[in-house]
Amino acid sequence: MLKYLLLSVGDNEDEAFDIVKESVRHHNMLLKFVQDLERIVTIPILKQYLDAIACMGLYLYMLQVDFQFLHLFSLLTNLSQTLFFSIFGQLIQDKSLAIADAAYESNWQNLQNRKVRKAVILIIQRAQARSQITAGGFITLSFESFAVMLKTAASFLAVLRSSKEN
């Protein structure tokens, strides 16, 4: 919605000021929401990520030793839960960066009112610092962190296999 508000900035100065004012208010509300969400979910998601790494490594090991559908189902459930968090985190990052793009693509350069132009520039600058959700404050939820988690689980599997061989 914020993106469409910013893209609707036209040449009418009064209307543009109202749109930018509403956009700033909406953007502040979104930033506060992401901060509150981060504060609430950061520790539970960290636990989920750490559990997922250990469980995936163990399930992969158990599947190699003694294939059972229960192990496969548990592995897929664990993967899907963690992927869900990663998709959600990636969407927050992508949408927050789209706000800066939308503000830049608006007709703000042609506005005569300096106050409105400065407000749009402020939105662009604030939106360039992407919003994100983290696990424990150090793992950003994204597709990249999901891939890192899979690699870590594979490393854990390699350690389990090598310990069995020794």
Side-chain angles (χ1 to χ4, degrees):
M1 180 178 158
L2 181 58
K3 179 179 177 179
Y4 299 111
L5 268 176
L6 288 168
L7 288 174
S8 68
V9 172
D11 293 329
N12 182 335
E13 297 292 322
D14 293 332
E15 181 184 344
F17 182 75
D18 290 341
I19 290 171
V20 170
K21 186 174 153 183
E22 177 64 18
S23 296
V24 169
R25 188 190 68 72
H26 193 82
H27 190 227
N28 286 337
M29 184 179 67
L30 290 173
L31 290 173
K32 184 175 179 343
F33 173 76
V34 172
Q35 287 173 346
D36 290 346
L37 185 63
E38 164 77 8
R39 184 178 41 80
I40 293 167
V41 303
T42 189
I43 299 301
I45 290 178
L46 175 63
K47 182 194 174 304
Q48 169 66 25
Y49 261 63
L50 295 176
D51 288 349
I53 290 168
C55 289
M56 279 190 249
L58 288 172
Y59 291 138
L60 287 169
Y61 179 75
M62 289 188 295
L63 284 169
Q64 289 180 349
V65 172
D66 179 30
F67 182 87
Q68 293 181 16
F69 282 104
L70 178 62
H71 297 152
L72 180 61
F73 179 75
S74 298
L75 174 66
L76 294 176
T77 302
N78 208 317
L79 272 171
S80 63
Q81 287 174 346
T82 310
L83 181 61
F84 172 77
F85 289 126
S86 299
I87 290 170
F88 181 68
Q90 187 69 49
L91 282 173
I92 287 176
Q93 288 180 42
D94 293 346
K95 296 292 183 183
S96 74
L97 291 176
I99 292 169
D101 294 340
Y104 184 77
E105 292 170 8
S106 69
N107 197 22
W108 67 274
Q109 302 95 334
N110 298 330
L111 295 172
Q112 300 300 318
N113 189 330
R114 274 179 73 110
K115 189 176 179 182
V116 174
R117 283 198 317 257
K118 284 184 177 182
V120 174
I121 291 170
L122 181 64
I123 291 173
I124 293 169
Q125 288 176 335
R126 286 177 64 192
Q128 285 177 343
R130 70 178 183 206
S131 296
Q132 61 188 20
I133 302 294
T134 65
F138 59 90
I139 302 171
T140 301
L141 301 184
S142 65
F143 294 138
E144 183 180 341
S145 64
F146 182 73
V148 168
M149 186 201 60
L150 292 176
K151 290 177 187 176
T152 306
S155 298
F156 185 58
L157 171 63
V159 168
L160 288 174
R161 289 175 66 189
S162 69
S163 67
K164 182 188 178 212
E165 293 170 2
N166 295 334

